[in-house]
Amino acid sequence: MTQGTIFVKEEQESAEDQIVEQTKRIDFYITEYSVEILASKMRAGEYVVPAYQREFTWEHERKSKFIESLIMGLPIPFIFFWEMPDGKLEVVDGSQRLRTLEEFILGNLRLGDLDQLTNVSGFRFSDLPESRQRKIKNRSIRGIVLNEHADEAARLDMFERINTGSKIANKAEIRRGALAGPFLSMIIDLAQDPLFTRLAPMSDKRKQERGPEELVTRFFAYGDGLEGYRDRPADFIFEYAKKMNKAFKENPGLASFYRKRFSDTMAFVDRVFPHGFTKTSRGKATPRARFESIAIGSYWALSERPELANMGADRINVAAWISGKDFSDITGSDGANAKSRLKGRIDFVRTRLVGA
C-alpha cells in the first residue's frame, strides 16, 4: 500500500463488512460501584482475575500512587468486566486497581512516600480518621460490563488494547496464561531451540515480550492452513492454539510429529537461505512477515516436494530472488495481515522453491 492508493468499491464494502462484524462482538452496559463494594466483591471472589493477568502486579510505589489519587478525588479510569455465565464478573481490565483497593480497604497495605499527601505517607486505611474512611469507601468508580456473548478472543484482544497497568501483556503472553497446555508447552520449548534462535535473532526487549513464541506459533498455525482465517491474526492463532491443546491431550504422539516438522524446516532454512530469516549476514532482527514467508513457504514446499530436503543449496539458488525487489515488496509490512497478502507472501517462497 502506498500514499495515494485508491480503494475500489469492493474493497470499501469488504472493510465495512469487517467493521460491522467486529462491532457485533462488543455488547456492553455501563455501571457504577462504590469503593467499598468493589473491595468487598473482590475479597468475596465475585470478581475473577483470569490467569493471563495474575503475574502482572503493581510495585508498592504504584499502589501508593493509585491510593493517593483515590483519596484526593482524582478521576479513576473505567474498569472493564465480562459477565460470566454464572453471574460473576471476569476482570478484563482493572485487576491491579481492584487488587490494590482490596489490599488497602480490607487488608494491611501501608502507603509509601506520597507526592502530594505527604502527611498521609506510612498510613494504613485503619489509621485514617473514621470520617475519611467513610468518604473513601463512598467514592464510586464506573465500570463497563461486556455481556456474556462476547467471545474469549474478543475479551483478550480488548485486554491488550485497553490495559492501563504499568506492564502490559502482549498476545503471546496472554495465550501463555490463558491457554496453558501441551501444545503451548511445546511452543515455549521450541522457541528456545538453538538453531531457531540463531536463524531468527531479535532484541532482548522482543524476547522478553515472547517474540520467539509468537513466531513459532504462527509457523504451525499458518502452516496447517488458512481455512477460517478472517484477516484477524490474533483470533485465528488463539483458536488454533486452543484447538491444538485439545488435540495434543487426546493424542500425545502429535508432539513428536510437530517437533519434527519444525526441526526439518529449520534445518532446511539453515542450509538454503544464506542469512536465515534476517535481511543481511549481520542482521539482528527478524521481521515477522519475512519469517512467515520463508518458514511457512519452505514447509509448504517441502510437503509438496520432499526431495528438496536433499537438493543442493546451489541448485535451489534462493540468492537469485531473496534480495530482489519483488520479495522485499511482498514482505515489507508486518501489518499486511489480509488473507490474500499473507498467503501471497508464503506462496511467493513456496513457488520459487518448488520451481527449483
Side-chain angles (χ1 to χ4, degrees), residues 183-243:
F183 177 72
L184 263 294
S185 294
M186 183 192 72
I187 294 294
I188 294 168
D189 185 38
L190 292 179
Q192 302 173 56
D193 177 79
L195 177 57
F196 167 69
T197 56
R198 177 166 63 79
L199 293 172
M202 56 188 71
S203 66
D204 290 340
K205 180 177 183 295
R206 195 172 170 201
K207 288 178 183 177
Q208 292 171 357
E209 294 172 346
R210 315 293 187 193
E213 294 173 26
E214 180 70 18
L215 294 186
V216 177
T217 309
R218 287 180 179 233
F219 170 74
F220 289 120
Y222 297 161
D224 274 345
L226 298 173
E227 294 77 12
Y229 185 88
R230 295 290 183 271
D231 301 347
R232 296 192 301 272
D235 292 0
F236 180 80
I237 295 170
F238 182 88
E239 292 303 325
Y240 174 83
K242 187 176 180 179
K243 175 184 71 177

Side-chain angles (χ1 to χ4, degrees), residues 53-54 56-58 66 94-101 165:
Q53 295 189 48
R54 288 174 194 150
F56 300 100
T57 56
W58 279 352
F66 170 68
S95 67
Q96 304 297 340
R97 280 164 277 160
L98 289 173
R99 282 184 272 191
T100 300
L101 284 178

Side-chain angles (χ1 to χ4, degrees), residues 240-277:
Y240 174 83
K242 187 176 180 179
K243 175 184 71 177
M244 293 305 294
N245 262 339
K246 181 179 179 182
F248 272 43
K249 288 178 182 178
E250 294 173 350
N251 182 6
L254 280 177
S256 59
F257 173 80
Y258 275 79
R259 284 178 180 274
K260 186 175 188 305
R261 176 203 292 191
F262 183 78
S263 61
D264 287 351
T265 304
M266 293 304 111
F268 177 79
V269 171
D270 184 39
R271 184 171 63 82
V272 172
F273 290 83
H275 311 311
F277 300 112

Side-chain angles (χ1 to χ4, degrees), residues 79-142:
I79 294 174
F80 287 77
F81 298 100
W82 170 63
E83 189 173 46
M84 303 170 70
D86 64 1
K88 292 183 179 181
L89 298 182
E90 178 183 289
V91 185
V92 176
D93 180 68
S95 67
Q96 304 297 340
R97 280 164 277 160
L98 289 173
R99 282 184 272 191
T100 300
L101 284 178
E102 178 196 353
E103 189 178 354
F104 183 64
I105 304 297
L106 302 176
N108 200 36
L109 175 63
R110 183 186 291 278
L111 300 176
D113 293 332
L114 304 181
D115 294 331
Q116 303 296 325
L117 303 179
T118 55
N119 292 342
V120 186
S121 299
F123 273 56
R124 295 188 179 89
F125 182 72
S126 58
D127 296 324
L128 294 167
E130 287 188 9
S131 59
R132 179 54 55 185
Q133 292 182 32
R134 293 191 192 97
K135 290 175 182 178
I136 293 174
K137 287 196 285 188
N138 287 335
R139 291 199 184 282
S140 61
I141 297 177
R142 302 187 82 183

Side-chain angles (χ1 to χ4, degrees), residues 24-40:
K24 288 179 180 177
R25 303 169 76 207
I26 308 300
D27 190 8
F28 65 90
Y29 61 88
I30 297 176
T31 187
E32 197 163 344
Y33 300 103
S34 70
V35 165
E36 183 176 24
I37 289 176
L38 289 170
S40 298

Side-chain angles (χ1 to χ4, degrees), residues 117-185:
L117 303 179
T118 55
N119 292 342
V120 186
S121 299
F123 273 56
R124 295 188 179 89
F125 182 72
S126 58
D127 296 324
L128 294 167
E130 287 188 9
S131 59
R132 179 54 55 185
Q133 292 182 32
R134 293 191 192 97
K135 290 175 182 178
I136 293 174
K137 287 196 285 188
N138 287 335
R139 291 199 184 282
S140 61
I141 297 177
R142 302 187 82 183
I144 291 180
V145 183
L146 297 171
N147 72 20
E148 59 184 296
H149 301 299
D151 61 43
E152 194 170 17
R155 302 196 306 275
L156 296 178
D157 181 57
M158 177 174 287
F159 169 73
E160 190 198 23
R161 289 173 184 273
I162 65 176
N163 186 281
T164 53
S166 57
K167 182 177 181 181
I168 301 177
N170 57 45
K171 290 180 175 65
E173 290 173 317
I174 292 170
R175 283 197 300 271
R176 199 185 228 245
L179 295 175
F183 177 72
L184 263 294
S185 294

